[in-house]
Amino acid sequence: MREKPAEQHSNEKDSQRARRQRFKLLALIAIFAIPVATAWIMVEWRIGIPEQRTAHGELAPAVPALANWPLVEPLEALEPGDWILAFDCSTQCEALADQWWRLHRALGREAPRVSRLRIGGDGPALPGESVAQWTHTPEWHSPGRVWLVDPRGEAVLTYAREVELRGVMDDISHLLRMNPEKRAAPELEVGNR
């Protein structure tokens, strides 16, 4: 049996190494190109993109920040960093206040992250509820309207009086899940041990 010359053996090793390097380069290009191509196909041909709406309320870009609402009472009773369920209680106040109190309780362990603000009405505040009055009626107001305000004080969603409670509950639960609470973790101080 005849052995291959050393030069031919070296050329075969070089070509195998070159093939391996080309394969690695193609694999690296594929790792970055496949997700981009997949996203482009999804957007262009609308494949795999949900069509349904997730929010039951309407977006509220015309509603100013809570600090700019024309309210008589100061809002110090509201917890800073909480989501706020504000509702107009100018008609059928007792029933509305009870309805939103029950929804608040139904949030379970997430309930402490939400505060209720009743605007209007004569009765006493229910547990966990702050009460305020309008100084004048703003143009974006309507009787029985409900607003969901984020922790920064911006109105996110608004609901008409006839809204289904399940829809509001779903929206609040979804927003709380998507915006986890950022509790301050106890940190160790290096100098004090």
Side-chain angles (χ1 to χ4, degrees):
M1 194 176 224
R2 235 171 126 195
E3 288 187 24
K4 296 180 183 176
E7 187 176 309
Q8 188 180 6
H9 186 64
S10 174
N11 285 343
E12 285 177 14
K13 276 188 171 182
D14 287 343
S15 69
Q16 285 177 349
R17 189 175 302 130
R19 271 185 260 142
R20 243 183 287 128
Q21 293 301 326
R22 278 190 217 115
F23 178 74
K24 287 180 184 178
L25 179 63
L26 289 174
L28 185 63
I29 290 171
I31 287 172
F32 291 106
I34 289 174
V36 172
T38 303
W40 182 81
I41 289 169
M42 287 176 71
V43 169
E44 284 298 314
W45 292 328
R46 309 291 298 163
I47 298 172
I49 298 174
E51 295 292 330
Q52 73 274 10
R53 288 178 34 164
T54 55
H56 296 87
E58 301 168 19
L59 293 178
V63 178
L66 183 61
N68 299 326
W69 288 17
L71 298 174
V72 173
E73 298 295 323
L75 303 176
E76 284 93 24
L78 297 174
E79 291 291 324
D82 275 2
W83 288 82
I84 300 167
L85 182 67
F87 59 98
D88 176 71
C89 206
S90 55
T91 59
Q92 299 176 347
C93 188
E94 191 174 315
L96 285 174
D98 183 62
Q99 163 183 306
W100 298 119
W101 175 75
R102 290 176 187 280
L103 179 128
H104 193 198
R105 298 252 340 225
L107 290 172
R109 64 186 178 106
E110 295 291 350
R113 295 181 58 198
V114 178
S115 296
R116 285 186 335 278
L117 173 62
R118 183 181 82 197
I119 305 171
D122 297 331
L126 293 175
E129 182 177 71
S130 299
V131 179
Q133 300 292 331
W134 295 113
T135 56
H136 65 277
T137 306
E139 67 275 355
W140 43 266
H141 163 273
S142 64
R145 179 79 67 198
V146 180
W147 301 273
L148 186 57
V149 180
D150 71 8
R152 297 174 306 158
E154 301 291 327
V156 179
L157 294 171
T158 182
Y159 303 91
R161 172 196 248 353
E162 302 80 28
V163 68
E164 289 186 32
L165 292 182
R166 186 75 212 159
V168 177
M169 178 77 165
D170 289 346
D171 287 350
I172 293 173
S173 297
H174 179 73
L175 287 168
L176 292 175
R177 191 173 48 255
M178 298 310 292
N179 298 285
E181 187 174 21
K182 293 176 178 64
R183 293 185 184 205
E187 296 180 305
L188 296 174
E189 293 185 23
V190 177
N192 301 332
R193 288 189 182 200

